[in-house]
């Protein structure tokens, strides 16, 4: 195990060194290499040189070289982009936070559009479960940094742009420094603490935040913190609301869903991620706020393939973050503020007291000692699709979404008929919520019977049954 860890560390160090050298080479080429023929496709430069040998020949725009005109011609043909817009794209710097289901498609189209510099932040590594929707990663990229994997693929799409991967967890200690280097920020994350962090950091840097989300069969998209002063095409000063204007207080951690817990159809984040890149392109080329998702909330329903837009309220003049006299002037501890973790995979709710929790080892021992007179009932609170994928023998399925009135009474009756009851879910979070609902509704006799499996089925797979699938 030590040899594996050491080799992984060496590989990570080499990747970081390679990235630094590639960035150094990029800057050297951009600063010193003269414009060459279309075959070599050099990086974007600010001027296309004109000398005696090309007098009388066709000129290639104010600042675009021949290769750029040819490569990006299909979008340059659009009146809303044109040569001037393409020049802005080639100079723009966009930061994508999250190289997952949203960040991958967004990055693909921004790289294809010729955005001059793209930064990608992700602390995670590629997992097999990612690949159905995270299109920059392949099977051969498993256990590789998502940021590095995405950067490598993007370089194969467009070698004329700069890609900077950040293999780290964005937090209060590094957010302002990183974000200040970019013009537009894309929120492609899946957790509430990072959303508040990005919002506050963007407000402090006076940068627009294009925020997307996707879960199950639904996606959402809007732009926070738009400032007309950054757009020369705007005729009057205007500032759009920020995330805190709409959500001054975070929701309870147990009410927030995630792709890993609730599932997502691959094309859903694909649609939203592509639209995030479209809004970024429109922002960069200078389209005005009436054409952008400023104070408008786009909702995509994949079930019936419909789009609808909800109007959002304007900026709150008393917002603690973006008002004229903000109460929040420094980044805070957002995990404490949201009472949840920024790394969704490590989410570990602590709702039940220790006497109402049981380990995988204890559950196995109790199941082995149970008899017909001392029956130990297992209630699996995952949804039906998950229950049908894999389950512990003898478990019954009561999805947590159904824990209302009649179903709660039905579960209470089952508890009365059994000596012990253990609630089970995937990771030991929903099982606590379900058990607490029953404990709050039940009587004193129920409290000694009800437990939940610590760590859920992941724990069961790790310690008891290694053949049990982990998903």
């Amino acid at each position: 195990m030590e040899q594996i860890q050491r080799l992984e560390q060496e590989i990570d160090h080499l990747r970081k060194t390679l990235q630094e050298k590639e960035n150094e080479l990029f800057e050297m080429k951009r600063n010193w290499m003269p414009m060459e023929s279309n075959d070599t496709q050099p990086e974007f430069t600010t001027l296309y040189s004109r000398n005696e040998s090309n007098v009388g020949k066709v000129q290639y725009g104010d600042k675009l070289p021949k290769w750029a005109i040819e490569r990006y011609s299909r979008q340059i043909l659009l009146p809303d982009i044109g040569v001037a817009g393409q020049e802005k794209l080639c100079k723009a710097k966009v930061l994508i936070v999250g190289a997952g289901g949203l960040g991958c498609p967004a990055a693909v189209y921004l790289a294809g559009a010729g955005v001059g510099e793209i930064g990608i932040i992700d602390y995670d590594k590629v997992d097999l479960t990612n690949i159905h929707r995270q299109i920059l990663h392949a099977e051969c990229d498993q256990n590789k940094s998502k940021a590095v994997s995405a950067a490598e693929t993007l370089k194969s799409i467009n070698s004329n742009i700069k890609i900077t991967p950040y293999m780290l967890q964005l937090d209060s200690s590094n957010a302002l420094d990183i974000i200040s280097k970019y013009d537009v920020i894309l929120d492609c994350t899946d957790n509430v603490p990072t959303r508040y962090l990005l919002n506050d950091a963007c407000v402090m840097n006076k940068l627009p935040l294009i925020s997307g989300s996707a879960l199950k069969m639904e996606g959402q998209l809007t732009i926070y913190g738009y400032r007309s002063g950054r757009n020369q095409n705007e005729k009057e000063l205007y500032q759009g609301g920020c995330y805190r204007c709409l959500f001054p207080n975070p929701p309870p951690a147990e009410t927030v869903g995630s792709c890993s817990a609730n599932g997502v159809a691959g094309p859903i984040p694909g649609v939203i991620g592509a639209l995030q890149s479209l809004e970024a392109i429109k922002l960069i080329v200078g389209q005005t706020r009436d054409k952008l998702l400023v104070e408008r909330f786009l909702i995509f329903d994949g079930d019936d393939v419909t789009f609808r837009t909800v109007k959002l309220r304007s900026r709150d003049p008393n917002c603690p973050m973006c008002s004229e006299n903000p109460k929040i002037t420094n980044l805070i501890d957002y995990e404490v503020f949201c009472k949840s973790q920024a790394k969704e995979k490590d989410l570990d709710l602590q709702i039940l007291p220790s006497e109402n929790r049981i380990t995988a080892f204890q559950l196995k021992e109790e199941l082995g000692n149970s008899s017909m007179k001392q029956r130990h009932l297992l209630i699996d609170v995952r949804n039906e699709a998950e229950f049908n994928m894999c389950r512990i023998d003898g478990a019954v399925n009561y999805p947590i979404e159904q824990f209302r009135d009649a179903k709660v009474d039905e579960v209470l009756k089952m508890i009365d008929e059994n000596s012990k009851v253990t609630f089970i879910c995937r990771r030991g979070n929903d099982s606590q919520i379900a058990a607490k609902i029953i404990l709050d509704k039940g009587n004193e006799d129920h409290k000694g019977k009800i437990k939940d499996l610590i760590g859920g089925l992941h724990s069961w797979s790790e310690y008891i049954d290694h053949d049990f699938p982990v998903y």
Side-chain angles (χ1 to χ4, degrees):
M1 182 60 70
E2 288 185 7
Q3 291 180 332
I4 293 175
Q5 292 177 342
R6 179 174 54 79
L7 186 58
E8 287 178 341
Q9 291 174 352
E10 289 179 2
I11 292 172
D12 288 341
H13 176 72
L14 289 172
R15 283 174 177 157
K16 183 178 180 180
T17 302
L18 176 61
Q19 180 61 44
E20 291 174 351
K21 294 298 181 183
E22 287 179 338
N23 290 343
E24 183 181 345
L25 177 62
F26 177 91
E27 293 296 336
M28 190 177 297
K29 283 183 176 181
R30 185 172 65 176
N31 292 331
W32 298 105
M33 193 169 78
M35 190 59 60
E36 299 177 7
S37 66
N38 183 53
D39 293 334
T40 57
Q41 292 204 349
E43 281 74 12
F44 176 78
T45 56
T46 56
L47 292 173
Y48 181 77
S49 59
R50 185 174 187 268
N51 53 40
E52 292 300 321
S53 64
N54 62 31
V55 171
K57 293 184 179 180
V58 175
Q59 297 303 301
Y60 303 117
D62 295 334
K63 299 178 182 178
L64 291 180
K66 176 175 179 287
W67 68 263
I69 292 285
E70 292 176 343
R71 175 161 192 153
Y72 306 121
S73 61
R74 296 301 183 268
Q75 63 190 34
I76 294 174
L77 289 171
L78 297 174
D80 287 334
I81 296 181
V83 172
Q86 188 61 52
E87 291 171 358
K88 292 178 181 178
L89 288 169
C90 289
K91 294 177 182 178
K93 299 179 180 180
V94 176
L95 178 65
I96 300 173
V97 184
L102 295 168
C104 284
V108 165
Y109 286 106
L110 291 175
V115 169
E117 183 174 342
I118 298 174
I120 304 176
I121 298 179
D122 204 304
Y123 66 86
D124 205 359
K125 294 184 178 181
V126 178
D127 184 83
L128 186 64
T129 60
N130 303 145
I131 297 173
H132 92 285
R133 67 193 184 281
Q134 300 179 14
I135 58 177
L136 290 179
H137 315 307
E139 291 180 357
C140 61
D141 296 319
Q142 290 182 71
N143 296 317
K144 182 188 291 185
S145 160
K146 284 187 179 181
V148 171
S149 171
E152 291 174 351
T153 305
L154 292 174
K155 286 176 183 177
S156 70
I157 293 172
N158 193 341
S159 61
N160 296 303
I161 64 175
K162 182 179 179 180
I163 310 292
T164 304
Y166 297 89
M167 297 163 281
L168 50 80
Q169 170 71 38
L170 194 71
D171 57 32
S172 300
S173 68
N174 55 33
L176 289 175
D177 180 56
I178 296 174
I179 286 174
S180 64
K181 299 174 183 177
Y182 294 87
D183 308 313
V184 179
I185 312 300
L186 269 62
D187 177 6
C188 300
T189 62
D190 60 356
N191 66 84
V192 177
T194 305
R195 291 192 186 280
Y196 279 97
L197 167 65
L198 284 173
N199 175 78
D200 294 358
C202 284
V203 171
M204 291 179 181
N205 280 285
K206 299 182 179 180
L207 294 175
L209 176 63
I210 304 176
S211 180
S213 64
L215 189 66
K216 297 182 180 179
M217 293 291 286
E218 185 176 285
Q220 302 171 342
L221 176 64
T222 191
I223 299 176
Y224 296 112
Y226 175 79
R227 293 171 183 265
S228 62
R230 299 174 62 89
N231 186 351
Q232 61 183 8
N233 295 323
E234 292 280 13
K235 296 180 179 179
E236 59 183 25
L237 291 177
Y238 186 85
Q239 183 176 339
C242 75
Y243 186 66
R244 284 184 183 268
C245 290
L246 296 177
F247 307 103
N249 299 305
E254 61 269 22
T255 66
V256 179
S258 67
C259 293
S260 59
N262 302 99
V264 64
I268 302 298
V271 170
I272 300 301
L275 291 175
Q276 282 184 278
S277 66
L278 176 61
E279 290 299 288
I281 290 170
K282 289 161 59 182
L283 262 172
I284 292 166
V285 301
Q287 291 200 17
T288 52
R289 66 183 177 90
D290 58 306
K291 292 186 177 181
L292 298 166
L293 283 173
V294 176
E295 294 179 357
R296 292 189 296 140
F297 196 71
L298 179 73
I299 301 173
F300 171 58
D301 189 339
D303 277 325
D304 54 10
V305 196
T306 56
F307 289 88
R308 62 190 179 97
T309 304
V310 178
K311 183 173 176 55
L312 301 177
R313 61 175 176 266
S314 300
R315 182 166 67 111
D316 182 358
N318 298 313
C319 175
M321 190 67 233
C322 71
S323 64
E324 296 300 324
N325 298 298
K327 296 179 180 178
I328 302 173
T329 57
N330 296 295
L331 299 184
I332 61 175
D333 187 329
Y334 293 88
E335 291 187 334
V336 172
F337 173 65
C338 297
K339 298 180 181 178
S340 63
Q341 295 177 323
K343 290 186 177 182
E344 183 273 332
K345 285 188 174 182
D346 297 329
L347 182 63
D348 183 18
L349 297 181
Q350 300 291 337
I351 298 175
L352 296 180
S354 58
E355 58 266 25
N356 291 116
R357 309 206 71 190
I358 188 172
T359 67
F361 293 112
Q362 291 170 330
L363 179 60
K364 181 187 178 184
E365 183 178 354
E366 292 201 4
L367 290 175
N369 294 334
S370 294
S371 63
M372 291 301 293
K373 292 183 179 180
Q374 297 288 324
R375 187 161 179 249
H376 194 140
L377 177 65
L378 305 180
I379 299 180
D380 194 321
V381 300
R382 296 174 297 156
N383 63 45
E384 185 178 358
E386 292 181 272
F387 185 74
N388 289 336
M389 277 198 299
C390 53
R391 57 186 177 272
I392 298 177
D393 287 343
V396 296
N397 187 211
Y398 278 80
I400 191 169
E401 293 87 356
Q402 300 177 8
F403 269 55
R404 304 182 196 90
D405 302 329
K407 280 292 182 183
V408 170
D409 292 338
E410 188 175 327
V411 171
L412 286 170
K413 184 178 179 181
M414 293 177 67
I415 292 173
D416 288 332
E417 296 171 354
N418 292 272
S419 59
K420 296 180 180 179
V421 176
T422 297
F423 288 85
I424 300 171
C425 70
R426 186 180 171 200
R427 291 179 175 169
N429 295 319
D430 285 346
S431 57
Q432 291 185 74
I433 298 171
K436 189 174 188 309
I437 291 173
I438 299 301
L439 285 168
D440 291 344
K441 290 279 186 178
N443 54 45
E444 287 297 320
D445 293 336
H446 294 140
K447 291 183 179 180
K449 290 184 176 183
I450 296 173
K451 296 184 183 296
D452 101 290
L453 175 59
I454 298 173
L457 293 171
H458 280 204
S459 176
W460 185 262
S461 175
E462 182 177 359
Y463 300 114
I464 307 302
D465 183 359
H466 299 311
D467 292 328
F468 197 93
V470 174
Y471 63 95

